[in-house]
Amino acid sequence: MSGPKFPPQPNDPSSSTPQSSDPAETSQAKERPAAKGITRRGFLKGAGVAAAGTALLEGAQVFTREAAAATRREHDGVKEFGPGAVPVALQVNGKEYTLQIEPRTTLADALRVHMGLTGTKVVCDRGPCSGCTVLMDDMPVNSCMTLAMDAIGHRVTTIEGLQSEGELHPVQAAFVKHDAMQCGFCTPGMVMTCSALLKKNSHPTEDDVRQATAGNLCRCGTYPRIFAATLEAAGVSGKESIRNA
Amino acid sequence: MATTKLPSSADALLGAAADAAKPPAGMETVTMPYGVPGYTLHDVQRQVPTTEPPVLPVNADLEYIGKSPKRWDAHAKVSGSGRYTADIQLPGMLYAKFVSSNVPHAKVVSIDTSAAEKVPGVKGVFVIENLLGGARLLNPSLEVSKYPIVRYAGQPIAAVAATQPHIAEEAALLVKVQYDAKPFVVDMEMARQSDAPPVFPGPANQGGSAGGGGGARNVPQTGNIHGPAVHKRGDVEQGFKDADFIVESKYTTQVQVHNALETHGVVADWKPDLLTVWASTQGTASVREELASFFKLPKSQVRVITEFMGGGFGAKFGPGNPGVVAAALSKQTGAPVRLMLDRKEEQLSVGNRPSSDQTLKIGAKKDGTLTAIQLISFGTAGCGTGAGCAGPATNLYQSASLHTEENDVFINAGPAAAFRAPGHPQGAFALEQTIDELAEKLNMQPLEFRDKIDTNPVRRVERQIVRESALWKSRNPVPNADRGPIKRGVGLSQSVWYRHIVMDSAAEVRVHRDGSVEVLSAVQDIGTGIKTVMAQILAEQFGVPPQQVSVKIGDTNYPVGPNSGGSVTTASLTPAVRDAAWQAAQKFLVSVAPALGTTPDDLVLTKGEVHSKSGHMQPISFRRAAAKMDTSEVSAQARRIPDYDPKHYDTYGGVDVAEIEVDTEMGIIHVKQFFAVHDCGRPMNPSQVINQINGGLIQGTSFALYENRLIDPTYGLMVNANLDLYKIAGARDIPKLHVQLVESYIAQSSTDASGIGEAAGIISAAAAIGNAFYNATGVRIRSTPMTPSVVLETLSKAPQRSNA
Ligand code: FES
Ligand code: FES
């Protein structure tokens, strides 16, 4: 696979420069009497968004002149954006969106708050539930753990973009047929994860489906239906799947 | 509890009617199916109002009801178009964020909001002076404080509304709260000690919610111990004297947090003449009621909308602090305000299933007759009450005597809330293992013993189905039979839940001249599928496919609907829907009769066609007939009428069998499968019912093995207030689930439906796993969650058995 790796790896120097550029931020942190600790957003803000001379930057360069203009500093090959809003161009569900967002904005918030694409759900906002899964190119990512800027130059597909010409995607259709949902709050994330699995592996076993959805939490407990639906969407005989009226 | 007592006059009327040979005026005698098809089905007579629709036959004879058409809103859910409260965006909407306490017990001395108010983008700050939730001091003068006393870390103190979510988050951090810290206690054992720091300086009570929960009032309170609430039947002392065998043991269960995927929250839009609130709630009615009373508004000026809702499991009734605070901020700022909790707040402040520490003692005669059941329980509902767990011990089996004492122990933690079958998973975990233990002493098999002591006719059928199942037949009745380190076990547990009917259940059905039909009710669909069931009822009446029925619910502009808790929704609402559909159909016939050249009583609407009884005309389709309506619309509204025979009280339940493998070296329990046999009256949509039972078994397994709220005793903070460290069963942990539904007709209403949410496996999963563990290892596991350390400790404490 060519192109940038997402999400940025923890050992990627570009994602580990927690230099606060904002003195107000630091003093603010000191006087947090009711403080619940540092918020994740606050941390992201403190960290700023720095793009080193890595694949990330290449991704960043393709998109916008304006963003470059908004660059606050550039030194040692490190560009820093923000903390104010910068223009960001994203390609979502085949459409171009240009947003004016702070660089710390997560992809989930960019989709939900700034583009009104609320099909993607935010459940935990920190990684372990995958309720916010979207595809970046064909890879499922947790959009709450991905910065919107990291999606630049990639095809983002959300649950709203999975249908083609008004027809449900086979995974969606199979979820309907198997009633693989109750409250439905996990459903967009589950559907995205399962559709990504089928792109990679057109003949999964039930274990493959379990493995793929291991990070997707469903509190209503619809898993057996999800497994059966995904196997059916793949055209795999239900022999191995859970018998379930 | 969400039970609505029948008005005594109606009770008397129906009671008398059921006995009388000749029905009184306005009533008629009808013949209804009763019992389980294939086992106990027979006819019974009931006297019902003459306005009731014809008796529904059993599911096999129906076209739409009792079948499993696709979920009515499935398309919206798989395509992301369903708008949940979390998705509501209104022009000019502000985002609100709570300021929450970071200490577990304190008096708030001062709150300085000035720095937060200065942040650009902040439009309002609200300081809470009237906190909702938890128990309240009976004598408030024992605590004089301008602000609510902080009784748990994570208690909301104030909230900030700003134009962007992150501005609100940052400004919330700038609110300075000065605390006068008090000693605290977060461990139930420590809280029970006489020298423990008191969570309340005097007696305190908490009411239940529409979903149940809440604790006993008018009980003694000593230190942090609120109780006991004592219930007695017969003489247990004598009962134990009469017993040939007595089993007594202690069982403990942990605190479980609901963690619905959509957090608690609302979007509130306060306008001078109308407060509109989108709420993630299990009860639009309860949110409306409580907001109106909190803000002293006429109910007619409060509108609550819940079109899609991301799970509740008992914790989402009433507006709660988020609802009240968002409404107040909206009033203050003149803009709509969104206040959705984050996951940490969800874990800390809006409910949990109380823990339990139960000492259960049961006596039986040699022939298996139970002579005495005694349960002494302690449990913590944090700074609330509702830890009672005597339901199963009280209601599952016949015993000559019963004595239960339930105690709530206050600790400095968030208050509990009703959680799917409140008290029952805990109670069943102790009871069903004790029953198995007793069976072994009596030299009886688990099913045989239960046949003796459980008189419920439906569970008798369910046990028969279990007895004949391949899984049960594969069970080795000898415990600890496997020689290797991995030991297989099979065990069962029963469950019980109760028929609660909410009379505030109404619906309107409209028929339009274009042949379209719609049904309206304020009821909310919390994931159980009531929308689909309502569509099926109209489909059956009008012969229109369910997907073509318009279902409009989750809005208090429509007729009042029940709060969805305690398995009440389907049982309460569906008869009103069917009655409204039937009455609308009669009005429809009146409306079309002139154009069809006949009288309304010559016409019947059946299977989508209008027929003339006299043969006056060829049958015509419903749609063609509708075109002849003399007004553009006819409609009927109906409300729930009391059960046909309220003297006849039914419970629901099931028998669940677990197959597990215990890795005795690693201490890991693998739950391989469940075979679950359940009843819920007439299953209206079997696929949706099974879906709920799957969910109950999974939640129950997760409770049994993984979930645990952990609070650090040094700082009083929850250490796993997230979804990474609060472990919930996931895809790789899910056993194979085989659910068999038992249709059980009870002749109680025009749909004869019941509910399934509670008796859906959540009650029995942990107990069945416990009994399977004994079958596998020969050792009783008496504590949840059954983590590897608990398993290894349990095994190591057991008397050494020879494995050779
Ligand atoms: S919301 Fe993104 S992983 Fe949970
Ligand atoms: S359907 Fe409710 S969380 Fe999965």
Side-chain angles (χ1 to χ4, degrees), chain B residues 505-557:
Chain B
S505 299
E508 179 174 329
V509 170
R510 294 182 187 157
V511 181
H512 298 278
R513 199 184 267 149
D514 64 359
S516 62
V517 292
E518 61 184 326
V519 54
L520 305 92
S521 171
V523 71
Q524 54 293 316
D525 190 332
I526 65 173
T528 58
I530 189 69
K531 285 178 195 161
T532 320
V533 170
M534 293 167 81
Q536 289 174 259
I537 294 169
L538 266 68
E540 194 76 45
Q541 179 65 57
F542 296 102
V544 174
Q547 283 298 320
Q548 284 175 28
V549 174
S550 290
V551 181
K552 296 187 175 132
I553 69 165
D555 187 335
T556 55
N557 275 358

Side-chain angles (χ1 to χ4, degrees), chain A residues 121-133 142-145 215, chain B residues 723:
Chain A
K121 305 300 181 214
V122 171
V123 172
C124 68
D125 209 11
R126 58 184 263 163
C129 82
S130 298
C132 60
T133 303
N142 287 339
S143 61
C144 77
M145 299 289 282
Chain B
L723 293 174

Side-chain angles (χ1 to χ4, degrees), chain A residues 180-187 217-222, chain B residues 261 310-311 313:
Chain A
M181 73 203 78
Q182 289 178 50
C183 78
F185 212 72
C186 70
T187 310
L217 188 64
C218 172
R219 190 49 157 162
C220 297
T222 57
Chain B
L261 287 204
F313 311 111

Side-chain angles (χ1 to χ4, degrees), chain B residues 49-65:
Chain B
T50 49
T51 47
E52 283 288 272
V55 170
L56 273 188
V58 297
N59 278 352
D61 300 331
L62 292 168
E63 196 167 351
Y64 296 108
I65 293 176

Side-chain angles (χ1 to χ4, degrees), chain B residues 453-588:
Chain B
I453 58 179
D454 178 8
T455 55
N456 181 294
V458 186
R459 275 196 301 272
R460 188 172 298 280
V461 169
E462 289 165 346
R463 282 191 299 274
Q464 187 55 30
I465 293 170
V466 164
R467 188 176 279 118
E468 288 160 8
S469 70
L471 179 58
W472 190 256
K473 284 184 182 157
S474 77
R475 174 181 183 266
N476 188 335
V478 180
N480 193 24
D482 286 344
R483 298 293 95 189
I486 311 256
K487 294 174 187 289
R488 174 181 185 269
V490 175
L492 66 77
S493 166
Q494 301 202 128
S495 60
V496 61
W497 192 252
Y498 321 99
R499 182 173 177 82
H500 298 305
I501 301 300
V502 175
M503 302 307 285
D504 271 339
S505 299
E508 179 174 329
V509 170
R510 294 182 187 157
V511 181
H512 298 278
R513 199 184 267 149
D514 64 359
S516 62
V517 292
E518 61 184 326
V519 54
L520 305 92
S521 171
V523 71
Q524 54 293 316
D525 190 332
I526 65 173
T528 58
I530 189 69
K531 285 178 195 161
T532 320
V533 170
M534 293 167 81
Q536 289 174 259
I537 294 169
L538 266 68
E540 194 76 45
Q541 179 65 57
F542 296 102
V544 174
Q547 283 298 320
Q548 284 175 28
V549 174
S550 290
V551 181
K552 296 187 175 132
I553 69 165
D555 187 335
T556 55
N557 275 358
Y558 307 139
V560 69
N563 298 312
S564 294
S567 301
V568 303
T569 310
T570 307
S572 301
L573 184 67
T574 57
V577 173
R578 180 156 187 252
D579 290 12
W582 164 255
Q583 288 162 24
Q586 303 320 298
K587 288 186 175 175
F588 160 80

Side-chain angles (χ1 to χ4, degrees), chain A residues 25 28 31-37 39 41-42 45 102 104 112-114 116 118-124 126 128-129 159-160 163 166 168 172 175-176 178-188 191 206 210-211 213-214 216-225 227 240-245, chain B residues 70-71 74-75 77-80 82 84 86-87 89 95 97-100 102 164-166 169-170 172-177 256-262 309-311 313 338 343-344 419 526-527 687-688 690-692 694-695 698-699 702 707 722-724 728-732 734-738:
Chain A
E25 178 76 15
Q28 173 184 309
E31 328 170 331
R32 274 173 193 160
K36 295 152 281 189
T39 66
R41 280 178 203 276
K45 181 179 181 183
E102 291 183 20
R104 60 172 158 166
R112 287 178 49 82
V113 180
H114 299 274
T118 55
T120 300
K121 305 300 181 214
V122 171
V123 172
C124 68
R126 58 184 263 163
C129 82
I159 189 75
E160 289 93 344
Q163 297 176 52
L168 291 180
Q172 290 174 309
F175 267 55
V176 172
H178 286 265
D179 196 27
M181 73 203 78
Q182 289 178 50
C183 78
F185 212 72
C186 70
T187 310
V191 167
E206 187 186 304
R210 284 177 183 253
Q211 182 71 26
T213 54
N216 287 72
L217 188 64
C218 172
R219 190 49 157 162
C220 297
T222 57
Y223 297 98
R225 304 285 181 91
F227 304 154
E240 247 196 289
S241 83
I242 284 174
R243 182 173 69 81
N244 204 357
Chain B
K70 72 180 179 196
R71 190 172 290 257
H75 194 284
K77 285 178 175 172
V78 297
S79 64
Y84 294 74
D87 303 332
Q89 288 175 347
Y95 294 81
K97 180 74 188 169
F98 271 136
V99 176
S100 301
N102 55 5
Q164 293 287 322
H166 63 268
E169 280 177 28
E170 282 156 20
L173 295 175
L174 296 179
V175 173
K176 291 192 192 101
V177 182
Q256 181 186 26
V257 187
H258 302 65
N259 273 314
L261 287 204
E262 185 182 35
M309 194 275 196
F313 311 111
R338 174 193 200 267
R343 182 55 49 186
K344 181 175 174 188
F419 192 162
I526 65 173
S687 168
Q688 290 184 169
I690 290 171
N691 209 339
Q692 278 198 69
N694 287 346
I698 289 169
Q699 267 180 2
S702 189
E707 297 181 39
N722 47 51
L723 293 174
D724 19 322
I728 295 175
R732 282 178 298 199
I734 305 304
K736 303 269 180 194
L737 304 175
H738 309 279

